Amino acid sequence: MSPNYVAKRLVMIVYTLFIVSLIVFAITQVLPADAAVMMLGENATQEALAALRENMGLNAPVWQQYASWLGHVLRGDLGTSLRTGQPVGPVMLEALGRSLLLAFLSIGLMLVLAIPLGIIAAVRRGKIADMIVSLISYAGVALPEFVTATVAVLVFADLMKWLPPTGYVPLTENFTSGIAHLVLPVCVISVILIAHVSRMVRSELVDVLHTDYIRAARLKGISRGTVLRRHALRNALLPTITIVALDVGYLLGGVIVVEEIFAIPGIGRQLIVAIQARDLPAIQAGVLIMAATYSIVNFIADILYAWLDKRIQYD
Amino acid sequence: MTTTPETPVLAIDNYSLDYDTASGVFHALRNIDLAVHRGEILGLVGESGSGKTSLAWSIMRYLPKNAREPGGRILLSGENLLEKTDAQIEAFRGRRISMVFQDPSTSLNPTLSLGTQLAEVLVRHRGLTRQQAWKEGEAMLDRVGLKTPAAMMNRMPHEASGGEKQRVVIASAFACNPECIIFDEPTTALDVITSCQILDLFVELQAETGVASLYISHDLALVSRTASRVAVIRRGEIVEQGAVRDIFARPQQDYTRELIAAVPDPAHRLVGDRVFETGKPLVRIENVSVHYGRRPFLAAITGRKAERVAGNNAISLSINPGEVLGVVGESGSGKSTLAKAMTGLNRFEGRIWFDGREIRNVGDMDNAYRKDVQIIFQHPDASLNPRQKISEILSRPLKLFGDASHLDQKVGDMLEQVRLPRTHAQRYPHQLSGGEKQRVAIARAFASKPKLVICDEITSALDVSVQASVVQLLLELQKTSGASYLFITHDLNLIRQIAHRIAVMYRGNLVEIAPAADIDSPDRAEYTRRLIEAVPRPAGQYL
């Protein structure tokens, strides 16, 4: 991995975020919302509205508004919420923290389950175990999260009363309760990820097990298990890194539904609230933070990949 | 069973192997009888699909699930391998019997260092610790002639050349002093000069250790150079076996005779030596260079100069009308790069004059140029669209460059021209054999009545006997059409048979161009002499 590659990827992230900021700003421009009306309410006088617009720079040309917004963003000021009058940055970042907690727990659970499932399916290809794993995967891919979430709440919270149905308790406040509230959402998200990743691991491993170098290792007298561990898994799991990184995109977007169902005040839920309230600075901040998170995760994945597979020589 | 010096190390006794397939039982091997003694090299020669590799898997006990063994025994120093448990076989492999594979770039794990892959055999079978195995590994790399063993241990496969990698594979095969080693085409994937060195290494280690060797190859010339005895296998049966001398001097079977005859022999020229009018070449290439790769990103923003990879370095040559110009060189020497530049598949710098016209860049290669310059690729599987019938494949150039009337008639004529039945028009490529597919590719190239046909390693993927017939076809087509050929190959024996002149390339440079009849003269460039020296001489000349 050359410094070239890292530098190039970093510049690409900046570039991507710049494009995202342009798009976000453009979208908020065409949204049917007037920041002045939002702040002063429907009954404000024309004079008051005009004064506020002038004050907020809303009469300036669009590109000036964009430049001023971007300038503030670069200095760490993501704007002030029109709804609450509070700075949106800290609110969104706090929400992102909750979402990331949910995401990392889900990814963790997924990795613990999906990789062994994929391996079992690949090693016992065509046998019962493979078919069961395939069935679970297809079910996971086919069922939308709002179905699995609703069923999960119905069964484990309403019927069995094992777990709290919805809500969020910070882990620092009450650890046990916090975890209990996280179990169902984490499981619901993991089901889809497991389906995805176990199929990926299975097909990659099946391919790798048919390569010449696996055969060569077996013919050197190395046992099945050692060949699987030392020779096959590393190569088969490499593409999984990319898939997991792409799934973070899903987690950030698709998790909105799960956060809504389980009433978790994550970034997805904050964004929904912001959109409903036409809170332009909050929407801009939320989307920008999500895009940045996604870019950084994919950057890390690419670096990790290049580090694990020395053949990759990006220029 | 006690072993005496007379007991063969490896004995295959009336062994048969079947595969259950969807379309019934396929008899891969029938009643095989072979024996390899200590210190002996037995050559097993056959074309693709003859079952020679199946036999290797049988011996190594590495058979697919649909394999059935209706009868016979495989004895390693008297012990029947068919009766061993999986665990016993696992302990045998790599310790008492090992294998060297065809392509070192696929038989080594790309994500593990060479040292790890060598040391693991020693840890597994000789009970060494990792540190001991690593030290021992270094000694072994030294023994197989690698100059910097310690550094090589730490390298990843992609950081070593093909020859270096094959030396590592050979080192792991010899690592536990096995009784028997199977060599499965160990030099096929390597360059001429490298494979010559690997062969020397093999002969040397074999003599030193006295290991019983089964040397599998499709190349009779190669086998005759190393083996003391040869077995010829065809369609799963041994048709003939005996001492190399006898097989070549007095082949008993027609098939063996065919195989011997099909091996290209430079002494047996297939084209007349013609003198071409100088000054009126069909193609003249002047200082054509091709560069690969873009400027690295950091270099671009910091303004640093970056080195580009040169595929071709200022190549100048010309081809006369009706001439066969051979281009030889090892892989990576720029042969195919030149072909791609001439067909507009690569950007190039420099000038190409074609039939009096100047071609400065890809944009100048218009329809007329493309009609006149056709290319045939190495792998017909990759160059024929698998979803198109042969009729569709062949009518495309007709529609593009000629008139599109009576297509069926013309496609049929084209097939006949390349000695294929007219009915093949209704088939798909996968329903044809490798040789037939390459004939279709040839017919397609000739459809536009080109003046220059570029043949890029077109016989490399074919068996010797098929290669001989394809080459014959090409020469006949040349007689009737008068087209010139740029014939790219790594097979020096073949090109010496069919080319008028031979261009030798090395690392993107044109070393020299010489008349084919003069290529082995001592006045040739040093690299050319080395190349000629490394080529296995045709069958029988070692005797």
Side-chain angles (χ1 to χ4, degrees):
Chain A
M1 182 175 31
S2 62
N4 237 321
Y5 174 60
V6 179
K8 194 171 177 174
R9 288 307 318 251
L10 279 172
V11 173
M12 281 301 289
I13 287 182
V14 174
Y15 188 65
T16 309
L17 289 179
F18 174 70
I19 303 274
V20 169
S21 76
L22 269 180
I23 294 171
V24 167
F25 192 78
I27 289 173
T28 51
Q29 283 296 310
V30 298
L31 269 184
D34 185 331
V37 177
M38 291 294 308
M39 288 184 81
L40 296 180
E42 301 283 337
N43 302 324
T45 61
Q46 287 301 319
E47 293 77 36
L49 286 173
L52 185 63
R53 285 198 190 106
E54 188 58 43
N55 206 8
M56 290 173 71
L58 291 180
N59 293 330
V62 173
W63 66 266
Q64 264 183 20
Q65 291 187 40
Y66 172 70
S68 132
W69 173 67
L70 194 63
H72 280 103
V73 169
L74 289 179
R75 271 172 273 144
D77 173 16
L78 287 165
T80 309
S81 167
L82 299 181
R83 191 169 57 93
T84 62
Q86 302 291 315
V88 286
V91 176
M92 282 293 172
L93 284 178
E94 199 190 331
L96 179 71
R98 296 185 200 111
S99 290
L100 284 182
L101 177 67
L102 190 59
F104 280 122
L105 287 176
S106 305
I107 288 181
L109 180 64
M110 177 273 284
L111 288 177
V112 168
L113 293 174
I115 292 175
L117 281 177
I119 294 170
I120 291 169
V123 172
R124 309 199 55 82
R125 195 159 69 99
K127 306 248 173 75
I128 299 284
D130 182 21
M131 287 180 212
I132 292 172
V133 172
S134 294
L135 203 70
I136 296 172
S137 310
Y138 285 127
V141 173
L143 290 174
E145 54 271 65
F146 59 83
V147 176
T148 35
T150 315
V151 172
V153 169
L154 208 67
V155 174
F156 297 105
D158 288 358
L159 236 53
M160 312 265 203
K161 309 229 182 291
W162 287 351
L163 295 160
T166 57
Y168 178 83
V169 176
L171 292 182
T172 46
E173 205 171 275
N174 182 339
F175 190 79
T176 333
S177 170
I179 291 291
H181 278 91
L182 280 171
V183 169
L184 282 183
V186 164
C187 287
V188 166
I189 296 172
S190 299
V191 164
I192 293 169
L193 293 180
I194 287 171
H196 211 171
V197 172
S198 67
R199 299 227 36 96
M200 179 78 187
V201 169
R202 178 191 178 277
S203 73
E204 285 296 327
L205 190 55
V206 165
D207 284 351
V208 169
L209 288 175
H210 279 99
T211 56
D212 286 357
Y213 59 82
I214 293 298
R215 187 171 62 198
R218 289 284 288 141
L219 293 184
K220 283 196 287 192
I222 313 296
S223 70
R224 216 172 232 287
T226 311
V227 167
L228 189 68
R229 261 180 288 119
R230 193 181 299 156
H231 289 267
L233 277 185
R234 187 192 181 96
N235 294 308
L237 291 183
L238 277 174
T240 312
I241 295 173
T242 311
I243 288 295
V244 170
L246 289 175
D247 276 341
V248 171
Y250 155 77
L251 280 173
L252 291 175
V255 95
I256 290 179
V257 179
V258 177
E259 285 180 357
E260 189 62 26
I261 292 174
F262 290 100
I264 296 167
I267 191 148
R269 199 141 190 266
Q270 289 294 337
L271 206 55
I272 290 180
V273 172
I275 291 169
Q276 280 166 348
R278 308 258 195 281
D279 189 349
L280 298 187
I283 298 174
Q284 290 169 333
V287 174
L288 208 56
I289 287 175
M290 277 186 156
T293 311
Y294 187 56
S295 300
I296 291 166
V297 168
N298 273 284
F299 171 73
I300 294 171
D302 283 350
I303 300 293
L304 200 61
Y305 202 120
W307 179 65
L308 285 172
D309 190 343
K310 300 287 190 299
R311 279 172 302 170
I312 297 183
Q313 301 239 315
Y314 299 99
D315 56 18
Chain B
M1 189 184 277
T2 52
T3 54
T4 60
E6 290 79 44
T7 314
V9 174
L10 178 70
I12 297 164
D13 177 17
N14 200 21
Y15 178 79
S16 300
L17 175 73
D18 293 341
Y19 291 120
D20 288 334
T21 66
S23 51
V25 176
F26 172 72
H27 302 289
L29 295 170
R30 268 181 282 200
N31 309 99
I32 303 285
D33 282 305
L34 283 179
V36 193
H37 292 84
R38 190 174 155 70
E40 185 186 41
I41 304 172
L42 174 70
L44 181 65
V45 180
E47 306 199 315
S48 50
S50 61
K52 55 188 192 304
T53 301
S54 277
L55 184 59
W57 299 145
S58 294
I59 299 167
M60 296 305 293
R61 310 307 299 147
Y62 194 78
L63 292 167
K65 291 213 173 62
N66 63 341
R68 303 283 169 268
E69 294 172 302
R73 297 186 303 166
I74 297 175
L75 305 169
L76 183 68
S77 301
E79 295 177 64
N80 190 356
L81 295 181
L82 271 63
E83 289 165 357
K84 300 285 170 195
T85 63
D86 287 354
Q88 284 171 320
I89 291 295
E90 223 162 63
F92 273 41
R93 288 181 186 152
R95 183 168 64 93
R96 294 186 53 188
I97 182 161
S98 62
M99 194 160 169
V100 174
F101 309 89
Q102 178 167 350
D103 189 349
S105 59
T106 61
S107 62
L108 287 169
N109 189 332
T111 55
L112 293 177
S113 70
L114 296 171
T116 311
Q117 301 190 53
L118 173 57
E120 70 177 349
V121 196
L122 298 164
V123 173
R124 166 77 174 91
H125 294 299
R126 284 175 47 185
L128 303 182
T129 65
R130 272 166 183 267
Q131 285 81 4
Q132 288 169 327
W134 198 269
K135 269 205 106 76
E136 181 73 20
E138 281 179 21
M140 289 189 158
L141 290 189
D142 186 47
R143 186 168 156 217
V144 295
L146 286 167
K147 300 239 163 47
T148 51
M152 194 57 78
M153 290 290 280
N154 286 309
R155 285 210 202 154
M156 302 298 285
H158 72 270
E159 294 166 328
S161 72
E164 288 167 339
K165 279 185 274 190
Q166 195 65 306
R167 282 173 198 266
V168 174
V169 174
I170 288 176
S172 18
F174 277 92
C176 303
N177 290 318
E179 295 148 50
C180 178
I181 303 184
I182 301 174
F183 295 83
D184 187 9
E185 308 246 9
T187 62
T188 310
L190 304 172
D191 291 318
V192 181
I193 291 178
T194 313
S195 70
C196 180
Q197 292 161 348
I198 292 290
L199 221 53
D200 288 344
L201 171 71
F202 158 64
V203 170
E204 188 191 313
L205 287 175
Q206 208 273 337
E208 201 179 298
T209 58
V211 65
S213 307
L214 180 66
Y215 194 102
I216 297 175
S217 177
H218 67 280
D219 189 340
L220 257 177
L222 200 69
V223 166
S224 66
R225 184 168 153 180
T226 50
S228 45
R229 283 193 308 124
V230 178
V232 179
I233 185 168
R234 184 194 195 194
R235 291 185 195 154
E237 284 176 281
I238 304 284
V239 291
E240 190 165 358
Q241 65 174 308
V244 171
R245 189 180 302 271
D246 297 338
I247 293 275
F248 283 102
R250 291 178 296 278
Q252 300 300 308
Q253 301 291 323
D254 289 345
Y255 179 69
T256 316
R257 258 175 244 133
E258 273 171 45
L259 265 190
I260 295 172
V263 176
D265 178 356
H268 177 55
R269 300 261 299 152
L270 297 173
V271 294
D273 290 318
R274 281 167 57 187
V275 181
F276 292 95
E277 229 183 298
T278 46
K280 284 198 73 184
L282 174 70
V283 193
R284 192 149 59 85
I285 293 172
E286 222 177 75
N287 286 321
V288 165
S289 302
V290 175
H291 295 281
Y292 285 122
R294 287 175 307 174
R295 239 167 135 196
F297 180 77
L298 265 188
I301 52 171
T302 55
R304 239 183 325 133
K305 264 209 147 170
E307 271 181 43
R308 289 183 301 171
V309 181
N312 279 158
N313 249 333
I315 304 286
S316 299
L317 53 81
S318 60
I319 308 168
N320 296 302
E323 184 184 33
V324 180
L325 177 70
V327 180
V328 292
E330 18 188 86
S331 50
S333 63
K335 310 185 295 275
S336 293
T337 305
L338 182 65
K340 284 183 186 164
M342 290 179 70
T343 44
L345 294 170
N346 273 344
R347 285 162 183 278
F348 61 90
E349 291 147 33
R351 298 280 165 83
I352 296 177
W353 273 270
F354 183 81
D355 211 7
R357 273 179 60 199
E358 189 182 349
I359 310 286
R360 274 160 305 186
N361 52 44
V362 178
D364 285 347
M365 295 183 178
D366 54 8
N367 245 5
Y369 179 84
R370 292 180 189 279
K371 174 188 168 299
D372 282 342
V373 179
Q374 288 285 318
I375 184 164
I376 308 171
F377 295 99
Q378 177 172 2
H379 295 292
D381 280 322
S383 67
L384 300 179
N385 186 336
R387 303 205 185 279
Q388 286 186 342
K389 285 183 181 168
I390 304 302
S391 58
E392 290 170 75
I393 292 172
L394 290 182
S395 46
R396 240 182 101 83
L398 293 174
K399 287 182 200 159
L400 249 170
F401 299 119
D403 75 305
S405 56
H406 310 294
L407 274 180
D408 287 350
Q409 173 71 28
K410 282 182 188 154
V411 165
D413 291 349
M414 285 160 73
L415 285 171
E416 267 183 4
Q417 208 186 6
V418 295
R419 312 273 135 69
L420 289 175
R422 299 182 89 92
T423 48
H424 271 33
Q426 293 313 310
R427 295 200 182 180
Y428 286 96
H430 73 264
Q431 295 168 306
L432 272 55
S433 72
E436 287 178 323
K437 274 180 271 194
Q438 201 57 295
R439 282 165 192 266
V440 171
I442 291 170
R444 174 173 64 182
F446 276 90
S448 64
K449 304 197 167 53
K451 291 178 182 153
L452 174 68
V453 178
I454 299 173
C455 305
D456 190 359
E457 298 269 14
I458 65 168
T459 61
S460 306
L462 305 174
D463 283 322
V464 235
S465 56
V466 181
Q467 163 175 302
S469 65
V470 166
V471 163
Q472 202 189 353
L473 170 71
L474 274 175
L475 293 178
E476 280 168 28
L477 283 172
Q478 201 219 12
K479 263 186 209 132
T480 52
S481 70
S484 304
Y485 287 157
L486 183 73
F487 199 98
I488 296 171
T489 182
H490 65 274
D491 187 338
L492 255 166
N493 285 335
L494 175 67
I495 202 64
R496 288 174 69 186
Q497 279 192 296
I498 63 170
H500 296 109
R501 289 184 302 149
I502 297 175
V504 181
M505 291 190 69
Y506 181 62
R507 296 196 180 163
N509 294 307
L510 180 65
V511 178
E512 64 178 334
I513 304 183
D518 275 356
I519 197 78
D520 56 349
S521 125
D523 305 334
R524 296 273 73 92
E526 199 244 326
Y527 177 72
T528 311
R529 289 204 312 270
R530 269 175 59 206
L531 206 57
I532 295 279
E533 188 63 26
V535 175
R537 270 162 287 166
Q541 292 190 6
Y542 288 97
L543 310 171

